[in-house]
């Protein structure tokens, strides 16, 4: 046990070194939430590509399998996923546009970035509603 | 006094052997994604509630097929770059990190090729 305990002690010693302040120490401001949501929606869209590929493969496979997959997307569960997908896409799109502005050193002030964070939340919600409204109308 | 050779110093790439290439490609695909995702949403919305024949006929249109191919390639390259950063940020165990970095590449390539195959099959008329 002596060899393992000595390695555990050295591991312990490494953990005791001072750390720079991390997420939990800062006040949660709108810009932080927008940034976190940008990453979460990005990860969601990453796995959402499976649904896009599934839909395309179904369309390429033929009418029977396409109807089956369409049935899934048309179900309540499927529509909830697609609604979330639409919002994630719109949020990530607007978040990306924010990053382009910041890359050009524009709109990066404390006040402006807070406004942009709110604009991203409101804008992504509005765009999601708009897309679904059009989708319902063209049906 | 640096122990680096003059060539290594002028390269300025350090031990990572990589400069701003990841950032540049991430922004490049992001820029491409803006019009492509709008086109993608347009295509999907316009096909809402349509039957298989209509969907297949839409993707038989070369313009739609090519736009959809660009959507898939650009979006999945962007997804690969993004997920790589997420893995590098949160996964610190060497084995787990490299396993996930490899899995990320396999996943995004796999999904992209599946989608590209489906689009080409419809594009060339299945």
């Amino acid at each position: 046990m002596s060899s393992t305990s000595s390695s555990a002690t050295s591991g312990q010693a490494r953990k005791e070194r001072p750390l720079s302040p991390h997420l939990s120490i800062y006040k949660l401001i709108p810009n932080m939430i927008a940034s976190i949501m940008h990453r979460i929606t990005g990860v969601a869209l990453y796995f959402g590509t499976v649904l896009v590929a599934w839909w395309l493969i179904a369309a390429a496979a033929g009418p029977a399998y396409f109807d089956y997959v369409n049935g899934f997307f048309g179900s309540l569960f499927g529509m909830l996923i697609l609604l979330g997908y639409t919002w994630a896409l719109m949020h990530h799109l607007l978040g990306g546009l924010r990053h382009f502005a910041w890359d050009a050193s524009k709109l990066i002030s404390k006040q402006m970035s807070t406004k942009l964070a709110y604009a991203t939340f409101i804008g992504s919600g509005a765009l999601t509603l708009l897309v679904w409204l059009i989708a319902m109308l063209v049906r | 006094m640096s122990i680096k050779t003059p060539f290594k110093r002028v390269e300025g790439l350090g031990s990572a052997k990589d400069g701003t290439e990841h950032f540049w490609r991430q922004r490049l695909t992001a820029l491409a994604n803006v019009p492509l995702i709008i086109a993608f949403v347009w295509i999907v919305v316009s096909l809402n509630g349509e039957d298989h024949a209509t969907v297949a006929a839409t993707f038989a249109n070369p313009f739609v097929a090519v736009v959809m191919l660009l959507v898939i390639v650009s979006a999945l390259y962007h997804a690969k770059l993004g997920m790589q950063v997420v893995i590098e940020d949160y996964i610190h165990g060497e084995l787990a990190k490299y396993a996930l970095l490899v899995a990320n590449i396999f996943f995004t390539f796999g999904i992209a090729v599946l989608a590209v195959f489906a689009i080409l099959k419809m594009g060339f008329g299945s």
Side-chain angles (χ1 to χ4, degrees), chain A residues 39 43 46 49-50 52-53 55-57 59-60 62-63 66 70 89-90 93 99-100 103 131 134-135 138-139, chain B residues 27 30-31 37 40-41 45 47-48 50 52 55 59 76 79 83 85-86 89-90 104 107-108 111 114 118 121-122:
Chain A
R39 177 160 283 199
V43 171
Y46 179 93
T49 58
V50 173
V52 179
W55 181 69
L56 288 169
I57 290 161
F66 183 75
N70 239 7
L89 203 57
M90 295 303 134
L93 180 63
H99 277 283
F100 278 130
D103 285 351
V131 167
I134 295 169
V138 298
R139 192 178 174 134
Chain B
R27 289 301 196 269
L31 183 66
I37 290 300
F40 166 69
V41 171
V45 162
L47 290 175
N48 179 33
E50 298 291 354
H52 175 262
V55 174
F59 283 107
L76 275 153
M83 184 56 80
V85 174
V86 173
D89 277 359
Y90 302 129
N104 177 37
F107 174 85
T108 46
I111 294 294
L114 280 171
K121 188 165 181 281
M122 289 188 282

Side-chain angles (χ1 to χ4, degrees), chain B residues 42-86:
Chain B
W42 186 289
I43 291 168
V44 173
V45 162
S46 69
L47 290 175
N48 179 33
E50 298 291 354
D51 61 4
H52 175 262
T54 312
V55 174
T58 303
F59 283 107
N61 179 326
F63 181 74
V64 176
V66 167
V67 167
M68 198 63 201
L69 286 171
L70 290 172
V71 169
I72 292 297
V73 171
S74 183
L76 275 153
Y77 196 4
H78 187 77
K80 181 261 168 193
L81 295 170
M83 184 56 80
Q84 183 188 333
V85 174
V86 173

Side-chain angles (χ1 to χ4, degrees), chain A residues 18 55 62 83 98 107 114 132 134 137:
Chain A
W55 181 69
L83 185 66
R98 261 169 2 126
L107 312 175
T114 301
W132 276 66
I134 295 169
L137 286 174

Side-chain angles (χ1 to χ4, degrees), chain A residues 16-104:
Chain A
E16 281 160 17
R17 288 164 63 190
L19 293 166
S20 61
H22 200 47
L23 279 180
S24 58
I25 211 160
Y26 296 110
K27 183 183 162 199
L28 202 60
I29 58 169
N31 206 11
M32 275 171 72
I33 301 169
S35 173
I36 292 163
M37 288 316 294
H38 190 70
R39 177 160 283 199
I40 291 173
T41 52
V43 171
L45 292 168
Y46 179 93
F47 292 107
T49 58
V50 173
L51 298 179
V52 179
W54 190 36
W55 181 69
L56 288 169
I57 290 161
Y65 192 61
F66 183 75
D67 286 346
Y68 168 73
V69 173
N70 239 7
F72 169 77
F73 285 126
S75 70
L76 186 65
F77 181 61
M79 292 219 288
L80 275 174
I81 290 176
L82 288 183
L83 185 66
Y85 194 110
T86 313
W87 176 76
L89 203 57
M90 295 303 134
H91 191 281
H92 203 78
L93 180 63
L94 292 179
L97 295 178
R98 261 169 2 126
H99 277 283
F100 278 130
W102 291 339
D103 285 351

Side-chain angles (χ1 to χ4, degrees), chain B residues 104-122:
Chain B
N104 177 37
I105 296 166
F106 286 177
F107 174 85
T108 46
F109 252 79
I111 294 294
V113 170
L114 280 171
V116 165
F117 181 77
I119 297 162
L120 288 179
K121 188 165 181 281
M122 289 188 282

